[in-house]
Amino acid sequence: MNDWLKICPLDDIPRLGAKVVRSGLGDIAVFRNAADEVFALRDQCPHQGGPLSQGIVFDRRVACPMHGLTLHLDSGEAQAPDEGCTHRYRVRVDKGVVFLNLG
């Protein structure tokens, strides 16, 4: 349990939005989709470095606000025909509280 960092209550992350967590590894975007699934990615688009936390969340994907590159929230991989990926972090919700694993 020591690898898990308590982030916030689930309700503090807007539906179809994100919350930025600052860490020694850089900024991490914690996303919440319409189905209340939670995902965490490095908050940097692999193409132009745009802040993914400011992108448009839909289904299980996010579109970069700078140029529209779409990434899968569950893997960090770009949606074809685009290429690239960003680091994905493990995240979980326990009793309405979001936890992030930086390991």
Side-chain angles (χ1 to χ4, degrees):
M1 197 66 176
N2 294 340
D3 293 337
W4 292 94
L5 175 65
K6 181 178 177 181
I7 301 300
C8 65
L10 177 62
D11 289 339
D12 283 2
I13 303 171
R15 270 199 184 106
L16 300 178
K19 177 179 182 69
V20 177
V21 175
R22 310 231 184 263
S23 78
L25 302 172
D27 289 350
I28 298 169
V30 181
F31 298 94
R32 179 181 178 192
N33 69 7
D36 289 333
E37 295 176 297
V38 180
F39 307 90
L41 299 176
R42 181 174 181 210
D43 192 24
Q44 186 175 16
C45 176
H47 182 237
Q48 291 183 353
L52 295 174
S53 59
Q54 295 177 24
I56 297 170
V57 177
F58 59 102
D59 299 326
R60 298 179 104 204
R61 294 170 284 185
V62 62
C64 175
M66 290 182 68
H67 62 286
L69 179 122
T70 299
L71 294 165
H72 292 274
L73 292 170
D74 58 352
S75 68
E77 297 286 331
Q79 180 175 304
D82 291 320
E83 296 179 356
C85 67
T86 192
H87 188 78
R88 179 186 61 87
Y89 295 90
R90 293 187 309 160
V91 65
R92 67 181 176 85
V93 179
D94 185 19
K95 298 179 184 171
V97 177
V98 178
F99 292 86
L100 179 66
N101 190 309
L102 299 176

Short mmCIF file of all heavy atoms in Angstrom, two decimals, residues 9-62:
data_model
loop_
_atom_site.label_atom_id
_atom_site.label_comp_id
_atom_site.label_asym_id
_atom_site.label_seq_id
_atom_site.Cartn_x
_atom_site.Cartn_y
_atom_site.Cartn_z
N PRO A 9 -10.56 13.28 -3.44
CA PRO A 9 -11.83 12.60 -3.67
C PRO A 9 -12.14 12.57 -5.17
O PRO A 9 -11.78 13.51 -5.90
CB PRO A 9 -12.86 13.46 -2.93
CG PRO A 9 -12.07 14.25 -1.94
CD PRO A 9 -10.72 14.46 -2.59
N LEU A 10 -12.79 11.52 -5.63
CA LEU A 10 -13.14 11.40 -7.05
C LEU A 10 -13.90 12.63 -7.53
O LEU A 10 -13.67 13.13 -8.64
CB LEU A 10 -13.97 10.13 -7.28
CG LEU A 10 -14.47 9.91 -8.71
CD1 LEU A 10 -13.32 9.76 -9.69
CD2 LEU A 10 -15.39 8.70 -8.76
N ASP A 11 -14.78 13.15 -6.71
CA ASP A 11 -15.60 14.30 -7.11
C ASP A 11 -14.79 15.58 -7.33
O ASP A 11 -15.30 16.54 -7.90
CB ASP A 11 -16.71 14.56 -6.09
CG ASP A 11 -17.79 13.48 -6.13
OD1 ASP A 11 -17.90 12.78 -7.17
OD2 ASP A 11 -18.51 13.33 -5.13
N ASP A 12 -13.53 15.61 -6.90
CA ASP A 12 -12.68 16.78 -7.14
C ASP A 12 -12.14 16.80 -8.57
O ASP A 12 -11.56 17.81 -9.00
CB ASP A 12 -11.50 16.81 -6.16
CG ASP A 12 -11.91 17.29 -4.78
OD1 ASP A 12 -13.11 17.56 -4.56
OD2 ASP A 12 -11.02 17.37 -3.91
N ILE A 13 -12.30 15.70 -9.30
CA ILE A 13 -11.88 15.64 -10.71
C ILE A 13 -13.15 15.80 -11.54
O ILE A 13 -14.07 14.99 -11.42
CB ILE A 13 -11.18 14.31 -11.04
CG1 ILE A 13 -9.98 14.10 -10.12
CG2 ILE A 13 -10.76 14.29 -12.51
CD1 ILE A 13 -9.37 12.72 -10.23
N PRO A 14 -13.23 16.82 -12.37
CA PRO A 14 -14.46 17.01 -13.14
C PRO A 14 -14.68 15.89 -14.15
O PRO A 14 -13.72 15.37 -14.72
CB PRO A 14 -14.23 18.35 -13.86
CG PRO A 14 -12.77 18.57 -13.84
CD PRO A 14 -12.22 17.83 -12.66
N ARG A 15 -15.94 15.50 -14.33
CA ARG A 15 -16.25 14.53 -15.39
C ARG A 15 -15.81 15.12 -16.71
O ARG A 15 -16.02 16.29 -16.97
CB ARG A 15 -17.75 14.24 -15.44
CG ARG A 15 -18.11 13.10 -14.56
CD ARG A 15 -19.47 12.52 -14.95
NE ARG A 15 -19.77 11.48 -13.99
CZ ARG A 15 -20.66 11.59 -13.02
NH1 ARG A 15 -21.37 12.68 -12.91
NH2 ARG A 15 -20.84 10.61 -12.18
N LEU A 16 -15.20 14.27 -17.55
CA LEU A 16 -14.67 14.69 -18.85
C LEU A 16 -13.60 15.76 -18.68
O LEU A 16 -13.44 16.65 -19.52
CB LEU A 16 -15.78 15.17 -19.79
CG LEU A 16 -16.86 14.15 -20.10
CD1 LEU A 16 -17.93 14.75 -21.00
CD2 LEU A 16 -16.27 12.89 -20.73
N GLY A 17 -12.85 15.66 -17.59
CA GLY A 17 -11.80 16.62 -17.31
C GLY A 17 -10.63 15.96 -16.62
O GLY A 17 -10.51 14.74 -16.58
N ALA A 18 -9.76 16.80 -16.05
CA ALA A 18 -8.54 16.29 -15.43
C ALA A 18 -8.12 17.17 -14.26
O ALA A 18 -8.52 18.32 -14.16
CB ALA A 18 -7.41 16.23 -16.45
N LYS A 19 -7.30 16.58 -13.42
CA LYS A 19 -6.65 17.29 -12.31
C LYS A 19 -5.16 17.07 -12.48
O LYS A 19 -4.72 15.95 -12.76
CB LYS A 19 -7.13 16.72 -10.98
CG LYS A 19 -6.46 17.34 -9.76
CD LYS A 19 -7.01 16.73 -8.49
CE LYS A 19 -6.43 17.33 -7.25
NZ LYS A 19 -6.84 18.71 -7.01
N VAL A 20 -4.36 18.10 -12.32
CA VAL A 20 -2.91 17.98 -12.46
C VAL A 20 -2.29 17.71 -11.10
O VAL A 20 -2.58 18.40 -10.12
CB VAL A 20 -2.29 19.24 -13.09
CG1 VAL A 20 -0.77 19.13 -13.15
CG2 VAL A 20 -2.87 19.47 -14.48
N VAL A 21 -1.43 16.70 -11.06
CA VAL A 21 -0.68 16.36 -9.86
C VAL A 21 0.78 16.66 -10.16
O VAL A 21 1.35 16.16 -11.12
CB VAL A 21 -0.86 14.85 -9.52
CG1 VAL A 21 0.02 14.47 -8.34
CG2 VAL A 21 -2.32 14.54 -9.25
N ARG A 22 1.37 17.49 -9.33
CA ARG A 22 2.79 17.83 -9.50
C ARG A 22 3.61 16.81 -8.71
O ARG A 22 3.30 16.50 -7.57
CB ARG A 22 3.05 19.23 -8.99
CG ARG A 22 2.06 20.23 -9.56
CD ARG A 22 2.71 21.43 -10.15
NE ARG A 22 1.74 22.40 -10.60
CZ ARG A 22 1.30 22.51 -11.85
NH1 ARG A 22 1.75 21.68 -12.75
NH2 ARG A 22 0.42 23.43 -12.20
N SER A 23 4.63 16.27 -9.37
CA SER A 23 5.47 15.28 -8.71
C SER A 23 6.92 15.49 -9.13
O SER A 23 7.20 16.25 -10.06
CB SER A 23 5.02 13.86 -9.09
OG SER A 23 5.49 13.52 -10.38
N GLY A 24 7.82 14.79 -8.48
CA GLY A 24 9.22 14.83 -8.86
C GLY A 24 9.47 14.26 -10.24
O GLY A 24 10.52 14.48 -10.83
N LEU A 25 8.49 13.55 -10.77
CA LEU A 25 8.58 12.97 -12.11
C LEU A 25 8.02 13.90 -13.18
O LEU A 25 7.99 13.56 -14.35
CB LEU A 25 7.81 11.64 -12.16
CG LEU A 25 8.27 10.58 -11.15
CD1 LEU A 25 7.32 9.39 -11.17
CD2 LEU A 25 9.69 10.15 -11.46
N GLY A 26 7.55 15.07 -12.77
CA GLY A 26 6.89 16.00 -13.69
C GLY A 26 5.39 16.01 -13.42
O GLY A 26 4.90 15.31 -12.53
N ASP A 27 4.67 16.79 -14.20
CA ASP A 27 3.23 16.88 -14.02
C ASP A 27 2.54 15.63 -14.54
O ASP A 27 2.87 15.11 -15.61
CB ASP A 27 2.67 18.11 -14.74
CG ASP A 27 3.06 19.41 -14.07
OD1 ASP A 27 3.61 19.37 -12.94
OD2 ASP A 27 2.83 20.47 -14.66
N ILE A 28 1.53 15.18 -13.79
CA ILE A 28 0.74 14.01 -14.16
C ILE A 28 -0.71 14.47 -14.22
O ILE A 28 -1.20 15.13 -13.30
CB ILE A 28 0.91 12.89 -13.12
CG1 ILE A 28 2.37 12.44 -13.09
CG2 ILE A 28 -0.02 11.71 -13.43
CD1 ILE A 28 2.71 11.54 -11.93
N ALA A 29 -1.39 14.13 -15.32
CA ALA A 29 -2.80 14.46 -15.48
C ALA A 29 -3.63 13.25 -15.07
O ALA A 29 -3.43 12.15 -15.59
CB ALA A 29 -3.10 14.83 -16.92
N VAL A 30 -4.54 13.45 -14.12
CA VAL A 30 -5.45 12.39 -13.68
C VAL A 30 -6.81 12.72 -14.29
O VAL A 30 -7.40 13.75 -13.97
CB VAL A 30 -5.52 12.30 -12.15
CG1 VAL A 30 -6.45 11.18 -11.73
CG2 VAL A 30 -4.13 12.09 -11.55
N PHE A 31 -7.27 11.86 -15.19
CA PHE A 31 -8.49 12.08 -15.96
C PHE A 31 -9.66 11.29 -15.40
O PHE A 31 -9.49 10.21 -14.85
CB PHE A 31 -8.28 11.62 -17.41
CG PHE A 31 -7.22 12.36 -18.14
CD1 PHE A 31 -5.91 11.89 -18.18
CD2 PHE A 31 -7.51 13.54 -18.82
CE1 PHE A 31 -4.92 12.57 -18.87
CE2 PHE A 31 -6.53 14.23 -19.51
CZ PHE A 31 -5.24 13.74 -19.53
N ARG A 32 -10.86 11.84 -15.62
CA ARG A 32 -12.10 11.15 -15.27
C ARG A 32 -13.03 11.24 -16.49
O ARG A 32 -13.28 12.33 -17.00
CB ARG A 32 -12.75 11.84 -14.07
CG ARG A 32 -14.07 11.23 -13.63
CD ARG A 32 -14.61 12.02 -12.46
NE ARG A 32 -15.89 11.55 -12.00
CZ ARG A 32 -16.66 12.22 -11.14
NH1 ARG A 32 -16.25 13.37 -10.64
NH2 ARG A 32 -17.82 11.73 -10.77
N ASN A 33 -13.48 10.09 -16.96
CA ASN A 33 -14.37 10.12 -18.12
C ASN A 33 -15.83 10.11 -17.68
O ASN A 33 -16.13 10.14 -16.49
CB ASN A 33 -14.04 9.00 -19.11
CG ASN A 33 -14.37 7.61 -18.61
OD1 ASN A 33 -14.98 7.42 -17.56
ND2 ASN A 33 -13.96 6.62 -19.38
N ALA A 34 -16.75 10.06 -18.64
CA ALA A 34 -18.18 10.13 -18.35
C ALA A 34 -18.67 8.92 -17.55
O ALA A 34 -19.67 9.01 -16.84
CB ALA A 34 -18.97 10.26 -19.64
N ALA A 35 -17.97 7.80 -17.65
CA ALA A 35 -18.34 6.58 -16.92
C ALA A 35 -17.67 6.52 -15.54
O ALA A 35 -17.68 5.47 -14.89
CB ALA A 35 -17.97 5.35 -17.73
N ASP A 36 -17.06 7.61 -15.11
CA ASP A 36 -16.35 7.71 -13.84
C ASP A 36 -15.12 6.80 -13.76
O ASP A 36 -14.65 6.48 -12.68
CB ASP A 36 -17.27 7.46 -12.64
CG ASP A 36 -18.24 8.60 -12.43
OD1 ASP A 36 -17.91 9.74 -12.82
OD2 ASP A 36 -19.32 8.36 -11.88
N GLU A 37 -14.58 6.40 -14.92
CA GLU A 37 -13.31 5.68 -14.93
C GLU A 37 -12.20 6.73 -14.76
O GLU A 37 -12.34 7.86 -15.24
CB GLU A 37 -13.11 4.94 -16.25
CG GLU A 37 -14.11 3.83 -16.48
CD GLU A 37 -13.93 3.21 -17.84
OE1 GLU A 37 -14.11 3.92 -18.85
OE2 GLU A 37 -13.59 2.01 -17.89
N VAL A 38 -11.13 6.34 -14.10
CA VAL A 38 -10.04 7.27 -13.82
C VAL A 38 -8.75 6.72 -14.43
O VAL A 38 -8.46 5.53 -14.35
CB VAL A 38 -9.88 7.46 -12.29
CG1 VAL A 38 -8.75 8.42 -11.98
CG2 VAL A 38 -11.18 7.98 -11.69
N PHE A 39 -7.98 7.62 -15.05
CA PHE A 39 -6.75 7.27 -15.74
C PHE A 39 -5.69 8.32 -15.40
O PHE A 39 -6.04 9.45 -15.07
CB PHE A 39 -6.95 7.26 -17.26
CG PHE A 39 -8.10 6.42 -17.72
CD1 PHE A 39 -9.37 6.95 -17.84
CD2 PHE A 39 -7.91 5.08 -18.03
CE1 PHE A 39 -10.43 6.18 -18.27
CE2 PHE A 39 -8.97 4.30 -18.46
CZ PHE A 39 -10.23 4.85 -18.58
N ALA A 40 -4.43 7.98 -15.53
CA ALA A 40 -3.36 8.95 -15.28
C ALA A 40 -2.28 8.82 -16.35
O ALA A 40 -1.81 7.73 -16.64
CB ALA A 40 -2.76 8.73 -13.90
N LEU A 41 -1.93 9.96 -16.93
CA LEU A 41 -0.89 10.04 -17.96
C LEU A 41 0.05 11.19 -17.64
O LEU A 41 -0.34 12.17 -16.99
CB LEU A 41 -1.50 10.32 -19.34
CG LEU A 41 -2.48 9.32 -19.93
CD1 LEU A 41 -3.03 9.86 -21.25
CD2 LEU A 41 -1.82 7.98 -20.14
N ARG A 42 1.27 11.09 -18.14
CA ARG A 42 2.17 12.24 -18.07
C ARG A 42 1.47 13.39 -18.78
O ARG A 42 0.91 13.22 -19.86
CB ARG A 42 3.48 11.90 -18.78
CG ARG A 42 4.48 13.01 -18.73
CD ARG A 42 5.80 12.56 -19.31
NE ARG A 42 6.74 13.64 -19.25
CZ ARG A 42 7.71 13.81 -20.11
NH1 ARG A 42 7.90 12.94 -21.08
NH2 ARG A 42 8.54 14.83 -19.99
N ASP A 43 1.49 14.56 -18.19
CA ASP A 43 0.74 15.71 -18.72
C ASP A 43 1.51 16.41 -19.82
O ASP A 43 1.74 17.62 -19.78
CB ASP A 43 0.40 16.68 -17.58
CG ASP A 43 -0.60 17.73 -18.01
OD1 ASP A 43 -1.36 17.48 -18.96
OD2 ASP A 43 -0.64 18.81 -17.37
N GLN A 44 1.91 15.61 -20.83
CA GLN A 44 2.68 16.19 -21.94
C GLN A 44 2.42 15.37 -23.19
O GLN A 44 2.69 14.16 -23.22
CB GLN A 44 4.17 16.20 -21.60
CG GLN A 44 4.99 16.92 -22.64
CD GLN A 44 6.45 17.01 -22.20
OE1 GLN A 44 6.90 16.31 -21.29
NE2 GLN A 44 7.19 17.87 -22.85
N CYS A 45 1.90 16.01 -24.20
CA CYS A 45 1.67 15.34 -25.48
C CYS A 45 3.02 14.92 -26.07
O CYS A 45 3.98 15.70 -26.05
CB CYS A 45 0.94 16.28 -26.43
SG CYS A 45 0.72 15.59 -28.07
N PRO A 46 3.11 13.69 -26.60
CA PRO A 46 4.39 13.24 -27.16
C PRO A 46 4.76 13.94 -28.47
O PRO A 46 5.90 13.86 -28.90
CB PRO A 46 4.17 11.75 -27.39
CG PRO A 46 2.70 11.59 -27.54
CD PRO A 46 2.10 12.66 -26.66
N HIS A 47 3.82 14.66 -29.08
CA HIS A 47 4.09 15.30 -30.37
C HIS A 47 4.68 16.69 -30.21
O HIS A 47 5.76 16.97 -30.68
CB HIS A 47 2.80 15.33 -31.20
CG HIS A 47 2.98 15.93 -32.55
ND1 HIS A 47 2.25 17.01 -32.97
CD2 HIS A 47 3.81 15.61 -33.57
CE1 HIS A 47 2.62 17.33 -34.20
NE2 HIS A 47 3.56 16.50 -34.59
N GLN A 48 3.95 17.57 -29.51
CA GLN A 48 4.42 18.95 -29.37
C GLN A 48 4.52 19.40 -27.91
O GLN A 48 4.73 20.57 -27.64
CB GLN A 48 3.51 19.91 -30.13
CG GLN A 48 3.60 19.76 -31.62
CD GLN A 48 2.74 20.78 -32.36
OE1 GLN A 48 1.97 21.52 -31.76
NE2 GLN A 48 2.86 20.79 -33.68
N GLY A 49 4.33 18.49 -26.97
CA GLY A 49 4.50 18.82 -25.57
C GLY A 49 3.34 19.56 -24.93
O GLY A 49 3.47 20.08 -23.83
N GLY A 50 2.20 19.60 -25.61
CA GLY A 50 1.03 20.30 -25.07
C GLY A 50 0.52 19.67 -23.79
O GLY A 50 0.72 18.48 -23.55
N PRO A 51 -0.16 20.44 -22.94
CA PRO A 51 -0.69 19.93 -21.68
C PRO A 51 -1.95 19.09 -21.92
O PRO A 51 -3.03 19.63 -22.19
CB PRO A 51 -1.00 21.19 -20.89
CG PRO A 51 -1.30 22.22 -21.94
CD PRO A 51 -0.43 21.87 -23.12
N LEU A 52 -1.85 17.79 -21.81
CA LEU A 52 -2.98 16.91 -22.04
C LEU A 52 -4.13 17.18 -21.08
O LEU A 52 -5.29 16.96 -21.42
CB LEU A 52 -2.54 15.45 -21.93
CG LEU A 52 -1.56 14.99 -23.01
CD1 LEU A 52 -1.09 13.57 -22.72
CD2 LEU A 52 -2.19 15.08 -24.39
N SER A 53 -3.81 17.68 -19.88
CA SER A 53 -4.85 17.98 -18.89
C SER A 53 -5.83 19.02 -19.38
O SER A 53 -6.95 19.12 -18.88
CB SER A 53 -4.22 18.45 -17.58
OG SER A 53 -3.44 19.62 -17.81
N GLN A 54 -5.46 19.80 -20.39
CA GLN A 54 -6.34 20.82 -20.96
C GLN A 54 -7.04 20.33 -22.22
O GLN A 54 -7.76 21.08 -22.88
CB GLN A 54 -5.54 22.09 -21.26
CG GLN A 54 -4.99 22.73 -20.01
CD GLN A 54 -4.14 23.95 -20.32
OE1 GLN A 54 -4.29 24.58 -21.36
NE2 GLN A 54 -3.25 24.28 -19.41
N GLY A 55 -6.85 19.05 -22.56
CA GLY A 55 -7.45 18.49 -23.75
C GLY A 55 -8.90 18.09 -23.55
O GLY A 55 -9.46 18.19 -22.45
N ILE A 56 -9.51 17.62 -24.63
CA ILE A 56 -10.90 17.19 -24.61
C ILE A 56 -10.94 15.69 -24.33
O ILE A 56 -10.35 14.89 -25.05
CB ILE A 56 -11.58 17.50 -25.95
CG1 ILE A 56 -11.61 19.01 -26.18
CG2 ILE A 56 -13.00 16.91 -25.99
CD1 ILE A 56 -12.04 19.41 -27.56
N VAL A 57 -11.65 15.32 -23.25
CA VAL A 57 -11.79 13.92 -22.85
C VAL A 57 -13.08 13.39 -23.44
O VAL A 57 -14.14 14.01 -23.32
CB VAL A 57 -11.81 13.77 -21.31
CG1 VAL A 57 -12.05 12.33 -20.91
CG2 VAL A 57 -10.53 14.31 -20.70
N PHE A 58 -12.99 12.23 -24.11
CA PHE A 58 -14.17 11.57 -24.65
C PHE A 58 -13.92 10.07 -24.63
O PHE A 58 -12.80 9.62 -24.87
CB PHE A 58 -14.51 12.07 -26.05
CG PHE A 58 -13.41 11.88 -27.06
CD1 PHE A 58 -13.49 10.84 -27.98
CD2 PHE A 58 -12.32 12.72 -27.10
CE1 PHE A 58 -12.48 10.65 -28.92
CE2 PHE A 58 -11.30 12.54 -28.03
CZ PHE A 58 -11.39 11.50 -28.94
N ASP A 59 -14.96 9.31 -24.30
CA ASP A 59 -14.83 7.85 -24.16
C ASP A 59 -13.66 7.54 -23.24
O ASP A 59 -13.64 7.95 -22.10
CB ASP A 59 -14.69 7.17 -25.52
CG ASP A 59 -15.90 7.40 -26.41
OD1 ASP A 59 -17.02 7.48 -25.88
OD2 ASP A 59 -15.71 7.51 -27.64
N ARG A 60 -12.67 6.83 -23.78
CA ARG A 60 -11.46 6.50 -23.02
C ARG A 60 -10.24 7.12 -23.71
O ARG A 60 -9.17 6.52 -23.77
CB ARG A 60 -11.30 4.97 -22.92
CG ARG A 60 -12.46 4.31 -22.18
CD ARG A 60 -12.31 2.83 -22.10
NE ARG A 60 -11.88 2.54 -20.73
CZ ARG A 60 -11.22 1.45 -20.39
NH1 ARG A 60 -10.89 0.56 -21.27
NH2 ARG A 60 -10.89 1.27 -19.12
N ARG A 61 -10.44 8.35 -24.21
CA ARG A 61 -9.39 9.04 -24.95
C ARG A 61 -9.33 10.51 -24.56
O ARG A 61 -10.27 11.05 -24.00
CB ARG A 61 -9.64 8.91 -26.45
CG ARG A 61 -9.52 7.47 -26.94
CD ARG A 61 -9.99 7.33 -28.35
NE ARG A 61 -11.45 7.36 -28.31
CZ ARG A 61 -12.23 7.15 -29.36
NH1 ARG A 61 -11.70 6.94 -30.53
NH2 ARG A 61 -13.53 7.18 -29.25
N VAL A 62 -8.22 11.14 -24.93
CA VAL A 62 -8.07 12.58 -24.76
C VAL A 62 -7.42 13.13 -26.02
O VAL A 62 -6.53 12.51 -26.59
CB VAL A 62 -7.22 12.94 -23.50
CG1 VAL A 62 -5.80 12.40 -23.60
CG2 VAL A 62 -7.22 14.43 -23.25
#
